[in-house]
Amino acid sequence: MKTKNHWIATSIVVGGALSATLGMVVRDRMDLPIVERVAFGDAGPLVASRDNSQDLTEIPEREYFEQMSELLKREYVDPITDDQKLIAGSVRGMVSSLEDPRSLFMDAESFTVFQNARQGKYEGIGADFKLIMPAKAANATENVFSRVPRLAIAAIAPGGPAAQSGLKPGDVVDSVDGHWVVNNDLLDEFRALQKKVLAKEAPADELTKMREELRKRMERSMMPMRARERLVTGDSGNVDIVVTRQGKPVEVKLAKSTTSVEAVRVEDGTFIVHLQAGVGPALAERLPKSGQVKLDLRNNAFADSATLNEALKALAPSGTYGVLANERGKTTPISVTEGRADKLTYTIIVDRSTSGAAEILALALAEKGLAKLEGGSVAGDPSLTEVVKLPDGSGFTLHRGSYRSEVKK
Amino acid sequence: MFTLGYAWRDLQTGRLPKMQAVTTLLGVTPDGRSMAPADQFQQIFRKISNDYARPVESKKLKYAAMGGMMASLGDPHTVFLEPKQAQEFSLETRANFVGVGARLAPDSLGAKVVVVFEDGPASKAGLKPGDTISAVDDEACAGKDIDVIVGSIRGKEGTTVKITVLRPNVDKPIDITCRRARIVTPTVEGRILEGEKIGYLSVAQFAEPTTEQFDRMLDRLEAQGMKGLIIDVRGNPGGLLEVAKDMLSRFVERKVVVKMKGRRGAEEVVSTDSGQVRFATLPIVVLQNEESASASEIFAGVLQDYRRATLVGDHSYGKASVQNVIPLIDSASVKLTIARYFLPSGRDISRKVDEDGTYVSGGLQPDVKAELGANAEGVFGDPKTDTQLQKAMEIIRGKM
């Protein structure tokens, strides 16, 4: 919370880089109560009174939720009738508090788009995105900016607008339709420059110039999740994107459209696989009975565990293919029952756009000696994520754990 | 062995990994009855605490849920304050603090001293406006958030703090040691602008002593032959409605200030007093910016509605609601909007923002828009650099 009434008040002025950044996301001013506090005779057990304000009892979450929603319904200026909205809001709060780019809350509209993409039906520019959390800069002070992730392209839907325009996995999105996608990097640069100026290693007017630049960008800016939404929704209209690729800006103009991606497509004998519902049967039907098969697992950024299971079952004999381990010391085997009777071997093409379940699939098959990986190195994120849908149509992803081969202890 | 056994049990009960593409929480019990909202919430709460890849602190998760629930109402002023925030908030709503008595602004090199309170510890120790604080207790300030710097200067009453400042035209940094003391913040400052008959009066907030300080400053400016008045509420976050009303009573008599509409339908009207008018015709310009909120907007908006002042600057914040803070038994608290208010003209000034909290519309629109030049940063009220003040002076000269 940002309050502005210290005895030594922060007369924050428009134009100051700090005021611009801080004022942006968390904009809440101090409200000296303008009316006397109303009486809370019937306020319920959660509300403090003279008798119980020293009581530090931990209230269980269920009661807390119940009493808080009653309190809001009774006191808030507008009538509150939609309990689902309160529930969805609380879930959004919980999921965000994990501060995990793999665990994301989506409102009903975004969640539908997300689910469609999981079925191979893309909108917008036809790409999957990932969030990259900033590395915590040494000596950086906590501010609202320090937790803003970067938005990057994780995978490209083949044949879609992004693919045609030459966008690539790994491209970091800098701006969308002229709106700067907010991130921490520029502020870090600003801080570094401040230090230099203080040490008289750089002239002070450079700092003024940079502050002005920051201010200008903040005036037309967009948070990463909103930019993502703009890029993955809609089937018409144009969008201008500037990305950073290997340190250089690349500007791309493209027209949004829908893109359909098949679970399995065979091209020149290579099985191009998109991990989505139905991938298991599609593979089982088209794979040969024996020999060596070439699989292309690129552009697979996200799939859930059910999809991983059906793909593994179609590709590999019964057995255990490593474990899913989490940071609580819990491991679960990744097992195949009723797998293939024969033993196909694979050459799997991977690169940085192979992540999540696809990465697990590639690593697990390679670990068992069933596959040889080629192409490039995988994304380095063999994580499995659960998708949870709420009654109001919103939903969230929840990071469950990461792949580990059995051999490691 | 332990690991395997554990995993086996999980697999048997189908808990991990989930063998379905989407876990659907439909809000119904196994026998088909719809679940109570609190039960639905608990179900998801447990899912996250049990299944997330990392350990989750349940208190943190619970408070995050409450924060999210309140945010879902879409009102930026309705917020959940965790115990620590709640404590800080209640400290700041009391108007006196332990400190050294100065007002700071952000600066590239640390913090710029904008005002040094008369007779305060900083003033006695020799701190001057225009100094730049580069270190506090030998810890460098460059790159630090202004709030962090302020926090390090504050402390226990009676203790000392060493402030290192850079002063224009002085080669070496100067160390100033102040003894922290209880400070009553002056909320009104003013002077006659050099060479003109324009009174300049800045109001930092609408606190209890503000009306008295306001009256005293008006006396002083009047005695110096003021022919026009600029009232500066830029950066003023608001305060007590009662105080704003008393101050407005110096300019307009028995006029509606605001109408408040609460949840229970009751409408309350606040009006200015009679017999308190001191300046019925004195030309007035009110300077405001996006940081002017709440009581500031009432003050400026009422003068604008009754054509008693010209508003200069940027649009104001757009706070058109009344909040109440309700303490909870675990030391957390809830700040929530309990009423809305309307200016005499009935217009709606409430702030509209997009999903990211960026301003879209709302607030009082100035009669004359003026932007603050890049060089004025940090210091309001200097006719040489403050371009909004320059505009205000130009307008008031035309009326005098």
Side-chain angles (χ1 to χ4, degrees):
Chain A
M1 199 184 69
K2 175 92 192 112
T3 55
K4 293 185 181 158
N5 224 62
H6 311 293
W7 57 270
I8 187 168
T10 62
S11 308
I12 285 186
V13 181
V14 205
L18 284 167
S19 67
T21 58
L22 283 166
M24 158 93 200
V25 183
V26 187
R27 178 154 238 150
D28 192 32
R29 47 216 56 249
M30 199 187 90
D31 308 293
L32 295 171
I34 204 164
V35 292
E36 281 296 297
R37 178 171 295 173
V38 298
F40 290 100
D42 59 346
L46 190 58
V47 173
S49 67
R50 278 213 183 83
D51 308 329
N52 66 4
S53 58
Q54 292 308 305
D55 186 357
L56 296 173
T57 327
E58 172 91 31
I59 305 143
E61 72 275 357
R62 192 192 172 284
E63 281 65 38
Y64 216 108
F65 177 89
E66 198 163 40
Q67 289 177 26
M68 189 69 85
S69 45
E70 276 170 25
L71 181 68
L72 288 180
K73 286 176 186 175
R74 197 172 46 237
E75 302 295 339
Y76 187 61
V77 65
D78 297 324
I80 298 168
T81 48
D82 189 354
D83 280 312
Q84 292 306 328
K85 200 171 129 185
L86 295 182
I87 295 172
S90 64
V91 177
R92 183 193 284 269
M94 288 193 283
V95 175
S96 319
S97 77
L98 303 174
E99 293 190 340
D100 176 353
R102 300 185 196 95
S103 304
L104 298 174
F105 181 87
M106 286 164 273
D107 63 23
E109 207 180 323
S110 305
F111 190 70
T112 307
V113 169
F114 173 78
Q115 286 292 88
N116 287 342
R118 310 281 67 80
Q119 313 285 329
K121 291 177 184 60
Y122 285 85
E123 289 178 35
I125 68 163
D128 284 309
F129 290 86
K130 62 180 172 189
L131 297 172
I132 305 167
M133 292 309 282
K136 201 158 168 99
N139 212 5
T141 50
E142 244 341 287
N143 67 67
V144 289
F145 244 20
S146 63
R147 306 299 299 171
V148 179
R150 299 288 326 236
L151 182 70
I153 294 181
I156 305 267
Q164 287 164 20
S165 73
L167 284 171
K168 298 215 175 342
D171 287 353
V172 176
V173 182
D174 286 327
S175 79
V176 175
D177 288 335
H179 288 79
W180 180 54
V181 180
V182 175
N183 69 72
N184 199 33
D185 297 359
L186 199 63
L187 193 73
D188 283 346
E189 270 177 51
F190 182 75
R191 290 242 156 91
L193 186 61
Q194 273 183 326
K195 281 210 187 84
K196 274 193 186 168
V197 170
L198 188 69
K200 298 201 184 341
E201 287 164 15
D205 56 328
E206 265 182 46
L207 206 59
T208 313
K209 247 185 263 166
M210 191 155 179
R211 180 183 296 130
E212 186 59 19
E213 166 77 13
L214 249 181
R215 193 180 65 86
K216 258 193 220 143
R217 289 208 197 181
M218 290 306 292
E219 269 173 15
R220 255 170 88 79
S221 63
M222 194 184 259
M223 294 302 277
M225 280 299 277
R226 185 138 176 266
R228 174 184 168 276
E229 203 169 303
R230 198 181 269 212
L231 295 175
V232 300
T233 55
D235 54 11
S236 62
N238 296 315
V239 59
D240 293 353
I241 312 171
V242 179
V243 298
T244 297
R245 186 182 301 155
Q246 287 157 354
K248 290 195 185 88
V250 177
E251 193 178 345
V252 170
K253 290 179 196 295
L254 30 70
K256 290 181 181 181
S257 69
T258 53
T259 310
S260 272
V261 179
E262 288 171 87
V264 179
R265 186 163 53 93
V266 186
E267 210 171 86
D268 298 332
T270 300
F271 285 67
I272 302 167
V273 177
H274 190 252
L275 289 184
Q276 63 190 50
V279 70
L283 276 170
E285 193 189 298
R286 302 179 72 170
L287 282 172
K289 290 280 171 262
S290 64
Q292 170 101 16
V293 173
K294 199 164 199 176
L295 297 179
D296 186 346
L297 277 184
R298 289 175 299 176
N299 290 310
N300 274 289
F302 185 93
D304 50 67
S305 41
T307 312
L308 172 64
N309 274 297
E310 63 175 83
L312 203 52
K313 195 169 158 176
L315 292 168
S318 300
T320 301
Y321 291 81
V323 292
L324 194 68
N326 69 19
E327 287 174 36
R328 311 164 141 186
K330 211 159 139 184
T331 56
T332 312
I334 296 168
S335 302
V336 174
T337 48
E338 298 166 49
R340 289 190 78 84
D342 51 15
K343 204 169 175 182
L344 280 178
T345 53
Y346 306 94
T347 303
I348 306 179
I349 311 170
V350 293
D351 69 3
R352 66 198 303 182
S353 66
T354 310
S355 71
E359 188 171 336
I360 296 177
L361 184 64
L363 295 177
L365 291 174
E367 183 69 34
K368 279 276 177 182
L370 290 169
K372 188 165 81 48
L373 306 187
E374 64 176 42
S377 52
V378 288
D381 180 25
S383 60
L384 206 57
T385 301
E386 182 176 353
V387 181
V388 183
K389 186 180 180 186
L390 301 182
D392 70 344
S394 62
F396 64 96
T397 56
L398 188 68
H399 179 214
R400 297 289 299 260
S402 292
Y403 167 82
R404 206 166 74 192
S405 67
E406 275 174 300
V407 239
K408 277 191 228 157
K409 279 280 171 261
Chain B
M1 266 329 281
F2 170 75
T3 311
L4 260 178
Y6 203 99
W8 178 242
R9 203 183 65 220
D10 279 340
L11 201 68
Q12 289 296 292
T13 54
R15 279 185 58 206
L16 190 96
K18 264 279 187 231
M19 292 304 165
Q20 63 197 70
V22 181
T23 309
T24 309
L25 301 173
L26 281 175
V28 289
T29 57
D31 57 355
R33 281 179 299 123
S34 70
M35 281 164 76
D39 291 327
Q40 288 183 45
F41 167 74
Q42 192 177 33
Q43 188 188 15
I44 308 165
F45 181 92
R46 286 188 173 158
K47 164 142 221 65
I48 295 172
S49 358
N50 295 334
D51 293 346
Y52 181 54
R54 294 188 198 124
V56 179
E57 198 190 318
S58 72
K59 199 177 214 165
K60 191 182 158 209
L61 196 64
K62 182 174 77 180
Y63 286 148
M66 296 310 128
M69 172 158 81
M70 298 189 62
S72 76
L73 299 173
D75 170 19
H77 307 290
T78 294
V79 291
F80 182 79
L81 302 168
E82 291 181 22
K84 195 172 160 269
Q85 298 169 320
Q87 204 192 349
E88 282 168 10
F89 183 80
S90 90
L91 257 175
E92 277 156 16
T93 45
R94 288 182 218 130
N96 59 23
F97 295 99
V98 174
V100 299
R103 185 167 295 148
L104 305 185
D107 186 90
S108 332
L109 304 178
K112 185 152 216 141
V113 179
V114 182
V115 177
V116 179
F117 300 161
E118 273 173 46
D119 301 328
S123 160
K124 285 177 192 156
L127 190 73
K128 301 238 182 315
D131 286 353
T132 301
I133 298 180
S134 63
V136 175
D137 285 335
D138 296 321
E139 197 153 314
C141 292
K144 279 191 185 171
D145 195 298
I146 186 83
D147 286 355
V148 174
I149 301 172
V150 166
S152 61
I153 296 174
R154 267 200 221 165
K156 256 196 176 156
E157 192 170 356
T159 57
T160 57
V161 56
K162 185 170 119 191
I163 299 171
T164 307
V165 300
L166 308 171
R167 187 166 292 168
N169 308 321
V170 177
D171 283 347
K172 280 185 190 158
I174 305 166
D175 287 339
I176 294 171
T177 302
C178 307
R179 186 169 295 275
R180 296 178 176 108
R182 204 153 282 280
I183 307 290
V184 176
T185 322
T187 56
V188 177
E189 286 153 20
R191 63 180 189 280
I192 289 283
L193 295 174
E194 248 170 276
E196 318 214 22
K197 296 282 181 195
I198 303 171
Y200 171 78
L201 191 156
S202 117
V203 183
Q205 70 175 81
F206 294 85
E208 260 170 44
T210 306
T211 312
E212 199 196 316
Q213 293 172 357
F214 185 66
D215 280 338
R216 247 187 300 150
M217 188 55 70
L218 286 174
D219 291 344
R220 245 161 79 178
L221 297 175
E222 205 177 13
Q224 291 174 56
M226 157 174 76
K227 294 277 184 290
L229 175 64
I230 296 170
I231 302 173
D232 189 351
V233 295
R234 287 176 296 175
N236 181 331
L240 302 165
L241 172 62
E242 187 70 15
V243 171
K245 182 211 75 174
D246 288 346
M247 285 162 61
L248 284 165
S249 301
R250 308 295 181 258
F251 307 104
V252 286
E253 192 170 18
R254 272 180 293 166
K255 291 273 199 253
V256 172
V257 173
V258 281
K259 290 179 189 150
M260 291 197 284
K261 283 181 192 145
R263 172 71 188 277
R264 293 178 184 88
E267 189 182 281
E268 197 189 327
V269 179
V270 176
S271 301
T272 52
D273 306 327
S274 57
Q276 300 291 323
V277 172
R278 297 182 54 176
F279 304 99
T281 55
L282 180 77
I284 302 170
V285 166
V286 176
L287 268 175
Q288 62 166 28
N289 65 8
E290 199 173 348
E291 312 281 320
S292 309
S294 192
S296 291
E297 295 177 293
I298 295 177
F299 185 81
V302 167
L303 291 179
Q304 190 183 35
D305 275 357
Y306 295 119
R307 301 179 194 288
R308 210 33 214 95
T310 306
L311 263 53
V312 176
D314 200 355
H315 66 81
S316 63
Y317 179 80
K319 171 108 175 349
S321 57
V322 182
Q323 279 70 39
N324 199 351
V325 178
I326 304 168
L328 307 178
I329 62 170
D330 58 348
S331 302
S333 63
V334 170
K335 179 162 77 90
L336 82 174
T337 300
I338 55 165
R340 288 188 215 293
Y341 59 73
F342 300 88
L343 289 172
S345 58
R347 60 185 156 154
D348 177 18
I349 61 155
S350 59
R351 183 183 184 86
K352 304 285 185 295
V353 295
D354 66 13
E355 297 93 318
D356 300 335
T358 309
Y359 172 86
V360 175
S361 66
L364 291 170
Q365 298 304 318
D367 298 308
V368 179
K369 199 164 168 67
E371 283 191 18
L372 198 62
N375 294 333
E377 195 175 297
V379 186
F380 284 147
D382 181 348
K384 287 193 198 80
T385 54
D386 185 342
T387 48
Q388 289 176 323
L389 177 61
Q390 287 165 5
K391 180 56 96 178
M393 290 165 73
E394 181 190 319
I395 285 164
I396 208 126
R397 276 185 213 117
K399 291 179 163 194
M400 273 161 44

